[in-house]
Amino acid sequence: MNTYLLLKSLHILGVVLFLGNIIITGWWKVMADRTKNKHIIAFAQRQVTLTDYVFTLGGVLLVLVTGIGNTMLHELDYFMIKWLAWGYWLFVASGIIWVAILLPVQIKQARIAKQFSEEEPIPKQYWKLGKLWIVFGVLATLLPLANLYWMVFKPI
């Protein structure tokens, strides 16, 4: 099989895993929080963190390895070719938001959710972190969605 097509196929699979998970995870977390049901929220919070490690990180690794691999295989300078550079930096920016803000917020929310008690209301800190997660989650999702433009149209 053609190495380019194999790497491209794996790259697209990585994009599907990555984008699919960040979009669906955001949806399910917001829907779980809207129930205000402590058991549903705690379960969803654990799953958000778990699916990020499995699917988001798995997709990220596939995208990076296959994208950079294909550029190296074909001796393309992904810093000088406009569509590759935009794709790379948008992806990096999204990753920085995920690592620096979203993941720590998710972990804090998961720790808070573990301590939910039947008698006490959900702590305000959980909701405050949730708002932060939504704002930066939307941003971290829009950046790689913009990459679809660069991937498909490859403007010069």
Side-chain angles (χ1 to χ4, degrees), residues 93-140:
S94 181
I96 290 169
I97 292 168
W98 183 57
V99 169
I101 299 168
L102 295 173
L103 215 56
V105 166
Q106 285 171 209
I107 292 167
K108 287 175 188 171
Q109 282 192 297
R111 286 185 183 140
I112 293 169
K114 277 184 184 178
Q115 298 173 0
F116 285 169
S117 75
E118 292 300 323
E119 301 79 36
E120 300 289 323
I122 295 173
K124 289 181 182 181
Q125 179 67 10
Y126 179 87
W127 299 117
K128 185 178 177 183
L129 288 168
K131 288 177 184 174
L132 189 66
W133 189 86
I134 289 171
V135 169
F136 284 97
V138 167
L139 181 59

